[in-house]
Amino acid sequence: MFMRARRPEQKQQRREAILAAARELAAESGVRNVTLGGVAAAVGLAKSNVVRYFGTREEIYLVLAAEYWRDWADDVLRRLEEGAGIVDALTEPFAERPVLCDLLGHSAINLEHNVSVPAAADFKRGVLGIIGELGAAVERAHPALAEGEGFEVVGVAAGLAGVLYPAANPPPTLVEVYAQNPDLAAACLPFLPTLKRALAAMVAGLPSLR
Amino acid sequence: MFMRARRPEQKQQRREAILAAARELAAESGVRNVTLGGVAAAVGLAKSNVVRYFGTREEIYLVLAAEYWRDWADDVLRRLEEGAGIVDALTEPFAERPVLCDLLGHSAINLEHNVSVPAAADFKRGVLGIIGELGAAVERAHPALAEGEGFEVVGVAAGLAGVLYPAANPPPTLVEVYAQNPDLAAACLPFLPTLKRALAAMVAGLPSLR
């Protein structure tokens, strides 16, 4: 079999070019509307070449989601160190990362299908590690929370961010619905205030469940 | 143009047969895996015939989602009348309706795309009406909640149900991941206890935010 000579650095560069194109396309048109062919065209490769790096479109986005989770977590940890309250520290970095929020909504529904078992396992392990790490940091920053409750707070924050993002960033059909129906538009919940309030209520209420 | 003679009752019957087939296929293989062609084959119609009743696959599922929301709400209202606590009354009927939970996860991500503006507006109006109705009932049953807080509790209950359902009901890839990685399987959150606990914490904490 013919194997193209390619040094590891070149392979790594190409891998990163694919991820960068997928990130940019998701930011422009939403994760849902990006195809493998679109990513391939944006990096100037054939689809058959892209799949040597990532088996499927979903695998590209699962790798990107893991990167965004890490980046989000680093921002949360920095804010906690600077003394921010846990609700602000957890939620504001989501508002600054729309592609992450878009990916969160797609993770369980679409991205964890159509990927290889090792890719899915890596992703799960990475996300659980991050939730555990942040959970412990949240408990240190907010001593009213008992052991394990930080993990729950971080998990719910991410879950709600994934639900609220598409509701607050409606697709063209709903934009038209809202233009025609101001009463429905008024009921469209704003992302950050809604997320903060639900999470603040949960944080305040958890101790009473012990 | 040739129009097939068809009485309104016959049309209504056919419409219901399409919805029943879509409901059954979703229960068997998950909303994500059902195609318009699959629904058409199950009712013994051509795809071109099905789209005379529902413009797209997503429109079939949006109509089904509206029916499930109503059915869920009636169950919640019955439980509240019988004296159930608001957290049990809101969450247990989700656990009994896996197809609804599956649809909730898909609504904002997939179903509200690729549908007509009137279909999306009907759906939004119906769901908002139900959340408002249940929100008021929840406030009556749990007087510690102030006006408007019932709406928030019902909305978060539905949002979290849609997030937790796919996590608790993993696709084949993740089933394999969990079989190979017992530590990851142990971290897979159970649907009803997780939903109840997050919602109970929120209900307990909301009054402290006033």
Side-chain angles (χ1 to χ4, degrees):
Chain A
M1 196 179 119
F2 170 76
M3 292 285 284
R4 211 169 305 192
R6 198 180 310 281
R7 284 170 297 140
E9 319 80 276
Q10 288 176 312
K11 280 195 172 177
Q12 187 55 32
Q13 273 174 11
R14 187 155 282 183
R15 200 181 139 87
E16 274 161 23
I18 294 167
L19 290 174
R23 202 184 290 119
E24 199 164 316
L25 289 170
E28 274 167 24
S29 21
V31 172
R32 182 178 195 278
N33 298 311
V34 184
T35 62
L36 189 65
V39 174
V43 259
L45 290 174
K47 261 166 75 165
S48 57
N49 206 338
V50 172
V51 296
R52 278 193 233 146
Y53 293 85
F54 300 94
T56 59
R57 164 193 175 281
E58 285 73 22
E59 210 154 302
I60 298 176
Y61 281 109
L62 212 55
V63 170
L64 271 187
E67 289 187 7
Y68 273 109
W69 267 92
R70 183 68 257 167
D71 173 57
W72 168 77
D74 289 340
D75 195 352
V76 174
L77 291 169
R78 193 165 47 242
R79 287 170 196 244
L80 289 175
E81 265 173 38
E82 289 167 8
I86 62 169
V87 170
D88 288 352
L90 286 168
T91 57
E92 288 170 7
F94 277 131
E96 292 176 9
R97 287 167 180 78
V99 175
L100 170 59
C101 296
D102 194 5
L103 285 166
L104 288 176
H106 281 89
S107 291
I109 301 287
N110 292 325
L111 301 184
E112 292 173 1
H113 299 248
N114 203 24
V115 294
S116 70
V117 170
D122 280 356
F123 178 69
K124 274 281 163 194
R125 195 174 298 284
V127 168
L128 281 170
I130 286 172
I131 298 179
E133 180 189 353
L134 289 194
V138 158
E139 287 164 14
R140 282 193 300 275
H142 192 84
L145 292 177
E147 201 183 328
E149 291 176 354
F151 187 95
E152 292 180 271
V153 168
V154 177
V156 167
L160 284 179
V163 177
L164 288 169
Y165 177 80
N169 295 273
T173 307
L174 282 184
V175 170
E176 185 57 36
V177 167
Y178 293 147
Q180 293 177 13
N181 302 272
D183 60 321
L184 297 181
C188 182
L189 299 170
F191 179 76
L192 191 56
T194 308
L195 181 58
K196 279 192 177 183
R197 189 166 152 80
L199 205 64
M202 186 189 170
V203 168
L206 271 174
S208 76
L209 302 186
R210 284 176 216 146
Chain B
M1 194 179 120
F2 170 76
M3 291 287 283
R4 212 170 305 193
R6 199 181 308 285
R7 284 170 296 141
E9 321 76 280
Q10 287 176 314
K11 281 195 171 180
Q12 187 56 30
Q13 271 174 11
R14 187 154 283 185
R15 200 180 139 86
E16 274 161 22
I18 294 168
L19 290 173
R23 203 183 290 119
E24 200 163 318
L25 288 170
E28 274 167 25
S29 23
V31 172
R32 181 178 196 279
N33 298 310
V34 184
T35 61
L36 189 65
V39 174
V43 259
L45 291 173
K47 262 165 75 166
S48 57
N49 206 336
V50 171
V51 296
R52 276 192 236 148
Y53 292 85
F54 300 95
T56 60
R57 166 193 173 279
E58 286 72 23
E59 208 155 304
I60 297 177
Y61 280 109
L62 212 56
V63 170
L64 271 187
E67 289 188 7
Y68 272 109
W69 267 92
R70 184 67 257 169
D71 173 57
W72 168 78
D74 289 341
D75 195 352
V76 174
L77 291 169
R78 193 164 46 240
R79 287 170 196 245
L80 289 174
E81 265 174 37
E82 288 166 8
I86 62 169
V87 171
D88 289 352
L90 286 169
T91 58
E92 288 170 7
F94 277 132
E96 292 176 9
R97 287 169 181 77
V99 175
L100 170 60
C101 296
D102 194 5
L103 287 166
L104 289 176
H106 282 88
S107 291
I109 301 286
N110 292 324
L111 301 184
E112 291 173 2
H113 300 247
N114 203 23
V115 293
S116 71
V117 169
D122 280 356
F123 178 70
K124 275 282 164 197
R125 194 174 298 284
V127 168
L128 280 170
I130 286 172
I131 298 180
E133 179 189 353
L134 288 194
V138 157
E139 287 164 14
R140 281 193 301 273
H142 192 84
L145 293 177
E147 199 181 331
E149 290 177 354
F151 188 95
E152 292 180 271
V153 168
V154 177
V156 167
L160 284 179
V163 177
L164 288 169
Y165 177 81
N169 295 273
T173 307
L174 283 184
V175 170
E176 186 57 34
V177 167
Y178 293 146
Q180 293 178 13
N181 302 273
D183 60 321
L184 296 182
C188 181
L189 299 170
F191 179 77
L192 191 56
T194 309
L195 180 59
K196 278 191 177 183
R197 189 166 151 80
L199 204 65
M202 184 188 172
V203 168
L206 271 174
S208 76
L209 302 185
R210 282 176 218 147

